[in-house]
Amino acid sequence: MSKIKFTNTLGYSELLKPVPASTMIPQWYKETDSYVGGVKRPNGKAGTLATIKRCMPVFDAISAGYLILLPADVWVSLKEGIPVDEKTGEPAEGVPTKISQYFEWSNFELLNFHPIEQAPLHPAKNEYAYPKWNNYWSIETPKGYSIQIIQPMHRESVFTIMPAIVDTDKYNAPINFPMVINDPKFEGLIPKGTPIAQVIPFKRENWTMEFGSEEDFSNQHNTNLELQTKFFDRYKSMFRTIKEYK
């Protein structure tokens, strides 16, 4: 089994450690029934009334890789800023005040900011600067392996980080996570322990795209026919490979 190494760069022994995503399954997923109405039976149309909980690709996404956790509470608020005259340093008169997004935290230097000018056309932009989660864990992977950093999948969140890919077999300094608050009007608590990033290691390979032949068409058709030989857990029992992240 390949190894991924997380190193605490803060020097604080109680810093919340990254965890395998499989150990933090979202509550909504746990509370969802496997079948509509809680009854495991065919639906009368050669299928079943299975819910999203029986979809293994969704579960594999939720449980893939590792989660970086917020090490302390963060409070988000909106405050009215007072424009300042650049020449005098005094409050500017006759200039409308501007609402700004403020972040407060109880410990550590949890956030930095990128001015909006650094990504003025990014589709996630809003009227505020881009906050950036400071991550105090360096990440190291074996030679030839990189990591994909994404918003934790299928989890409720008031923010969204900007996804990235980093070659952590060569670069092992801490990686921070720029993000945006989804609702610019949000005010409230982002609690300690909130997953702020999902880290998925993968092997780097070069790829070339091609298009399938008549034989490939026939093969996928046979796969569809094979799926129809069972009512329950078709993909899981016939095709899925278990992935392990410890």
Side-chain angles (χ1 to χ4, degrees):
M1 177 176 282
S2 299
K3 291 186 178 181
I4 183 170
K5 183 188 296 182
F6 295 89
T7 300
N8 181 342
T9 65
L10 186 63
Y12 174 57
S13 61
E14 299 303 314
L15 184 68
L16 287 182
K17 296 178 180 178
V19 297
S22 59
T23 65
M24 289 189 70
I25 302 300
Q27 195 62 32
W28 74 263
Y29 186 90
K30 293 179 181 180
E31 294 176 357
T32 299
D33 286 334
S34 292
Y35 296 90
V36 175
V39 180
K40 183 179 179 180
R41 61 178 177 81
N43 64 1
K45 299 179 181 179
T48 71
L49 295 172
T51 68
I52 191 172
K53 194 168 188 175
R54 303 309 303 172
C55 180
M56 287 298 99
V58 169
F59 177 79
D60 284 345
I62 290 174
S63 59
Y66 306 87
L67 297 175
I68 306 294
L69 308 179
L70 186 62
D73 287 348
V74 171
W75 185 267
V76 183
S77 58
L78 300 178
K79 294 184 179 180
E80 194 171 52
I82 301 176
V84 174
D85 188 303
E86 294 182 359
K87 294 181 179 179
T88 66
E90 298 295 324
E93 296 183 4
V95 180
T97 57
K98 181 180 179 181
I99 300 298
S100 298
Q101 208 170 48
Y102 282 78
F103 295 81
E104 303 172 57
W105 50 87
S106 55
N107 204 351
F108 314 121
E109 191 68 24
L110 291 184
L111 285 155
N112 274 316
F113 297 86
H114 286 294
I116 198 168
E117 290 78 12
Q118 287 191 275
L121 302 179
H122 194 281
K125 76 179 188 306
N126 54 34
E127 62 263 40
Y128 304 120
Y130 294 100
K132 178 170 65 177
W133 293 121
N134 288 335
N135 165 43
Y136 291 105
W137 292 95
S138 69
I139 304 170
E140 185 176 349
T141 48
K143 184 178 181 180
Y145 285 79
S146 301
I147 60 170
Q148 183 180 28
I149 303 167
I150 58 174
Q151 178 68 21
M153 291 188 281
H154 298 288
R155 299 172 190 268
E156 293 182 29
S157 182
V158 301
F159 62 86
T160 301
I161 69 167
M162 296 181 179
I165 290 175
V166 182
D167 299 335
T168 44
D169 57 341
K170 304 173 184 178
Y171 180 88
N172 60 7
I175 304 158
N176 299 324
F177 314 128
M179 57 94 166
V180 295
I181 300 296
N182 298 330
D183 178 3
K185 297 181 180 179
F186 170 78
E187 294 186 277
L189 178 69
I190 304 177
K192 174 184 176 180
T194 296
I196 59 174
Q198 189 166 359
V199 174
I200 303 174
F202 66 94
K203 186 177 182 180
R204 290 194 304 275
E205 296 179 296
N206 294 326
W207 293 82
T208 299
M209 185 177 71
E210 64 179 21
F211 296 94
S213 63
E214 289 187 10
E215 181 181 357
D216 296 309
F217 172 81
S218 178
N219 289 339
Q220 65 82 29
H221 180 65
N222 289 334
T223 296
N224 280 329
L225 292 176
E226 186 176 358
L227 281 171
Q228 294 170 29
T229 63
K230 296 188 69 175
F231 277 122
F232 306 106
D233 296 330
R234 296 169 174 178
Y235 170 79
K236 179 180 179 180
S237 62
M238 295 180 180
F239 303 106
R240 177 176 179 252
T241 298
I242 295 175
K243 297 89 176 165
E244 290 188 356
Y245 302 90
K246 297 181 178 180

